[in-house]
mmCIF file with all atom_site columns, all heavy atoms in Angstrom:
data_model
loop_
_atom_site.group_PDB
_atom_site.id
_atom_site.type_symbol
_atom_site.label_atom_id
_atom_site.label_alt_id
_atom_site.label_comp_id
_atom_site.label_asym_id
_atom_site.label_entity_id
_atom_site.label_seq_id
_atom_site.pdbx_PDB_ins_code
_atom_site.Cartn_x
_atom_site.Cartn_y
_atom_site.Cartn_z
_atom_site.occupancy
_atom_site.B_iso_or_equiv
_atom_site.pdbx_formal_charge
_atom_site.auth_seq_id
_atom_site.auth_comp_id
_atom_site.auth_asym_id
_atom_site.auth_atom_id
_atom_site.pdbx_PDB_model_num
ATOM 1  N N   . LEU A 1 55 ? -159.031 91.684 77.499 1.00 92.00 ? 55 LEU A N   1
ATOM 2  C CA  . LEU A 1 55 ? -159.231 92.111 76.106 1.00 92.00 ? 55 LEU A CA  1
ATOM 3  C C   . LEU A 1 55 ? -158.010 92.827 75.515 1.00 92.00 ? 55 LEU A C   1
ATOM 4  O O   . LEU A 1 55 ? -157.730 92.686 74.323 1.00 92.00 ? 55 LEU A O   1
ATOM 5  C CB  . LEU A 1 55 ? -160.468 93.002 75.978 1.00 92.00 ? 55 LEU A CB  1
ATOM 6  C CG  . LEU A 1 55 ? -161.790 92.253 75.927 1.00 92.00 ? 55 LEU A CG  1
ATOM 7  C CD1 . LEU A 1 55 ? -162.960 93.220 76.051 1.00 92.00 ? 55 LEU A CD1 1
ATOM 8  C CD2 . LEU A 1 55 ? -161.904 91.423 74.642 1.00 92.00 ? 55 LEU A CD2 1
ATOM 9  N N   . GLU A 1 56 ? -157.270 93.550 76.323 1.00 93.00 ? 56 GLU A N   1
ATOM 10 C CA  . GLU A 1 56 ? -156.095 94.256 75.793 1.00 93.00 ? 56 GLU A CA  1
ATOM 11 C C   . GLU A 1 56 ? -155.072 93.257 75.244 1.00 93.00 ? 56 GLU A C   1
ATOM 12 O O   . GLU A 1 56 ? -154.557 93.416 74.137 1.00 93.00 ? 56 GLU A O   1
ATOM 13 C CB  . GLU A 1 56 ? -155.469 95.132 76.878 1.00 93.00 ? 56 GLU A CB  1
ATOM 14 C CG  . GLU A 1 56 ? -154.358 96.013 76.345 1.00 93.00 ? 56 GLU A CG  1
ATOM 15 C CD  . GLU A 1 56 ? -153.814 96.963 77.400 1.00 93.00 ? 56 GLU A CD  1
ATOM 16 O OE1 . GLU A 1 56 ? -154.576 97.387 78.286 1.00 93.00 ? 56 GLU A OE1 1
ATOM 17 O OE2 . GLU A 1 56 ? -152.621 97.273 77.315 1.00 93.00 ? 56 GLU A OE2 1
ATOM 18 N N   . VAL A 1 57 ? -154.801 92.209 75.994 1.00 95.00 ? 57 VAL A N   1
ATOM 19 C CA  . VAL A 1 57 ? -153.874 91.169 75.537 1.00 95.00 ? 57 VAL A CA  1
ATOM 20 C C   . VAL A 1 57 ? -154.474 90.416 74.355 1.00 95.00 ? 57 VAL A C   1
ATOM 21 O O   . VAL A 1 57 ? -153.790 90.126 73.369 1.00 95.00 ? 57 VAL A O   1
ATOM 22 C CB  . VAL A 1 57 ? -153.533 90.196 76.688 1.00 95.00 ? 57 VAL A CB  1
ATOM 23 C CG1 . VAL A 1 57 ? -152.738 88.992 76.185 1.00 95.00 ? 57 VAL A CG1 1
ATOM 24 C CG2 . VAL A 1 57 ? -152.768 90.925 77.781 1.00 95.00 ? 57 VAL A CG2 1
ATOM 25 N N   . PHE A 1 58 ? -155.756 90.120 74.442 1.00 96.00 ? 58 PHE A N   1
ATOM 26 C CA  . PHE A 1 58 ? -156.460 89.439 73.354 1.00 96.00 ? 58 PHE A CA  1
ATOM 27 C C   . PHE A 1 58 ? -156.248 90.169 72.030 1.00 96.00 ? 58 PHE A C   1
ATOM 28 O O   . PHE A 1 58 ? -155.904 89.561 71.020 1.00 96.00 ? 58 PHE A O   1
ATOM 29 C CB  . PHE A 1 58 ? -157.954 89.355 73.693 1.00 96.00 ? 58 PHE A CB  1
ATOM 30 C CG  . PHE A 1 58 ? -158.845 89.071 72.520 1.00 96.00 ? 58 PHE A CG  1
ATOM 31 C CD1 . PHE A 1 58 ? -159.011 87.777 72.054 1.00 96.00 ? 58 PHE A CD1 1
ATOM 32 C CD2 . PHE A 1 58 ? -159.516 90.102 71.865 1.00 96.00 ? 58 PHE A CD2 1
ATOM 33 C CE1 . PHE A 1 58 ? -159.840 87.499 70.973 1.00 96.00 ? 58 PHE A CE1 1
ATOM 34 C CE2 . PHE A 1 58 ? -160.345 89.841 70.793 1.00 96.00 ? 58 PHE A CE2 1
ATOM 35 C CZ  . PHE A 1 58 ? -160.499 88.546 70.335 1.00 96.00 ? 58 PHE A CZ  1
ATOM 36 N N   . TRP A 1 59 ? -156.460 91.491 72.017 1.00 96.00 ? 59 TRP A N   1
ATOM 37 C CA  . TRP A 1 59 ? -156.333 92.246 70.772 1.00 96.00 ? 59 TRP A CA  1
ATOM 38 C C   . TRP A 1 59 ? -154.902 92.255 70.254 1.00 96.00 ? 59 TRP A C   1
ATOM 39 O O   . TRP A 1 59 ? -154.662 92.200 69.047 1.00 96.00 ? 59 TRP A O   1
ATOM 40 C CB  . TRP A 1 59 ? -156.894 93.667 70.923 1.00 96.00 ? 59 TRP A CB  1
ATOM 41 C CG  . TRP A 1 59 ? -158.382 93.641 70.819 1.00 96.00 ? 59 TRP A CG  1
ATOM 42 C CD1 . TRP A 1 59 ? -159.285 93.904 71.808 1.00 96.00 ? 59 TRP A CD1 1
ATOM 43 C CD2 . TRP A 1 59 ? -159.150 93.277 69.670 1.00 96.00 ? 59 TRP A CD2 1
ATOM 44 N NE1 . TRP A 1 59 ? -160.561 93.726 71.338 1.00 96.00 ? 59 TRP A NE1 1
ATOM 45 C CE2 . TRP A 1 59 ? -160.518 93.339 70.021 1.00 96.00 ? 59 TRP A CE2 1
ATOM 46 C CE3 . TRP A 1 59 ? -158.826 92.898 68.368 1.00 96.00 ? 59 TRP A CE3 1
ATOM 47 C CZ2 . TRP A 1 59 ? -161.537 93.055 69.136 1.00 96.00 ? 59 TRP A CZ2 1
ATOM 48 C CZ3 . TRP A 1 59 ? -159.849 92.598 67.474 1.00 96.00 ? 59 TRP A CZ3 1
ATOM 49 C CH2 . TRP A 1 59 ? -161.185 92.681 67.859 1.00 96.00 ? 59 TRP A CH2 1
ATOM 50 N N   . LYS A 1 60 ? -153.927 92.288 71.139 1.00 96.00 ? 60 LYS A N   1
ATOM 51 C CA  . LYS A 1 60 ? -152.521 92.215 70.707 1.00 96.00 ? 60 LYS A CA  1
ATOM 52 C C   . LYS A 1 60 ? -152.257 90.893 69.995 1.00 96.00 ? 60 LYS A C   1
ATOM 53 O O   . LYS A 1 60 ? -151.624 90.860 68.936 1.00 96.00 ? 60 LYS A O   1
ATOM 54 C CB  . LYS A 1 60 ? -151.574 92.383 71.893 1.00 96.00 ? 60 LYS A CB  1
ATOM 55 C CG  . LYS A 1 60 ? -151.534 93.790 72.443 1.00 96.00 ? 60 LYS A CG  1
ATOM 56 C CD  . LYS A 1 60 ? -150.612 93.869 73.653 1.00 96.00 ? 60 LYS A CD  1
ATOM 57 C CE  . LYS A 1 60 ? -150.613 95.271 74.247 1.00 96.00 ? 60 LYS A CE  1
ATOM 58 N NZ  . LYS A 1 60 ? -149.747 95.346 75.438 1.00 96.00 ? 60 LYS A NZ  1
ATOM 59 N N   . VAL A 1 61 ? -152.737 89.797 70.575 1.00 97.00 ? 61 VAL A N   1
ATOM 60 C CA  . VAL A 1 61 ? -152.549 88.470 69.970 1.00 97.00 ? 61 VAL A CA  1
ATOM 61 C C   . VAL A 1 61 ? -153.264 88.398 68.617 1.00 97.00 ? 61 VAL A C   1
ATOM 62 O O   . VAL A 1 61 ? -152.702 87.924 67.630 1.00 97.00 ? 61 VAL A O   1
ATOM 63 C CB  . VAL A 1 61 ? -153.047 87.356 70.923 1.00 97.00 ? 61 VAL A CB  1
ATOM 64 C CG1 . VAL A 1 61 ? -153.047 85.996 70.217 1.00 97.00 ? 61 VAL A CG1 1
ATOM 65 C CG2 . VAL A 1 61 ? -152.195 87.311 72.182 1.00 97.00 ? 61 VAL A CG2 1
ATOM 66 N N   . CYS A 1 62 ? -154.500 88.889 68.565 1.00 97.00 ? 62 CYS A N   1
ATOM 67 C CA  . CYS A 1 62 ? -155.271 88.848 67.314 1.00 97.00 ? 62 CYS A CA  1
ATOM 68 C C   . CYS A 1 62 ? -154.590 89.648 66.221 1.00 97.00 ? 62 CYS A C   1
ATOM 69 O O   . CYS A 1 62 ? -154.437 89.160 65.089 1.00 97.00 ? 62 CYS A O   1
ATOM 70 C CB  . CYS A 1 62 ? -156.688 89.380 67.541 1.00 97.00 ? 62 CYS A CB  1
ATOM 71 S SG  . CYS A 1 62 ? -157.718 88.302 68.535 1.00 97.00 ? 62 CYS A SG  1
ATOM 72 N N   . ILE A 1 63 ? -154.192 90.860 66.530 1.00 97.00 ? 63 ILE A N   1
ATOM 73 C CA  . ILE A 1 63 ? -153.575 91.724 65.516 1.00 97.00 ? 63 ILE A CA  1
ATOM 74 C C   . ILE A 1 63 ? -152.291 91.093 64.982 1.00 97.00 ? 63 ILE A C   1
ATOM 75 O O   . ILE A 1 63 ? -152.067 91.067 63.769 1.00 97.00 ? 63 ILE A O   1
ATOM 76 C CB  . ILE A 1 63 ? -153.343 93.141 66.090 1.00 97.00 ? 63 ILE A CB  1
ATOM 77 C CG1 . ILE A 1 63 ? -154.693 93.852 66.227 1.00 97.00 ? 63 ILE A CG1 1
ATOM 78 C CG2 . ILE A 1 63 ? -152.376 93.943 65.208 1.00 97.00 ? 63 ILE A CG2 1
ATOM 79 C CD1 . ILE A 1 63 ? -154.663 95.123 67.047 1.00 97.00 ? 63 ILE A CD1 1
ATOM 80 N N   . GLN A 1 64 ? -151.462 90.572 65.862 1.00 97.00 ? 64 GLN A N   1
ATOM 81 C CA  . GLN A 1 64 ? -150.213 89.943 65.398 1.00 97.00 ? 64 GLN A CA  1
ATOM 82 C C   . GLN A 1 64 ? -150.493 88.713 64.539 1.00 97.00 ? 64 GLN A C   1
ATOM 83 O O   . GLN A 1 64 ? -149.862 88.523 63.498 1.00 97.00 ? 64 GLN A O   1
ATOM 84 C CB  . GLN A 1 64 ? -149.316 89.582 66.596 1.00 97.00 ? 64 GLN A CB  1
ATOM 85 C CG  . GLN A 1 64 ? -148.706 90.788 67.267 1.00 97.00 ? 64 GLN A CG  1
ATOM 86 C CD  . GLN A 1 64 ? -147.922 91.657 66.293 1.00 97.00 ? 64 GLN A CD  1
ATOM 87 O OE1 . GLN A 1 64 ? -147.050 91.181 65.572 1.00 97.00 ? 64 GLN A OE1 1
ATOM 88 N NE2 . GLN A 1 64 ? -148.251 92.942 66.262 1.00 97.00 ? 64 GLN A NE2 1
#
Side-chain angles (χ1 to χ4, degrees):
L55 280 170
E56 187 175 329
V57 172
F58 162 81
W59 281 112
K60 289 178 182 179
V61 172
C62 290
I63 288 167
Q64 289 304 308

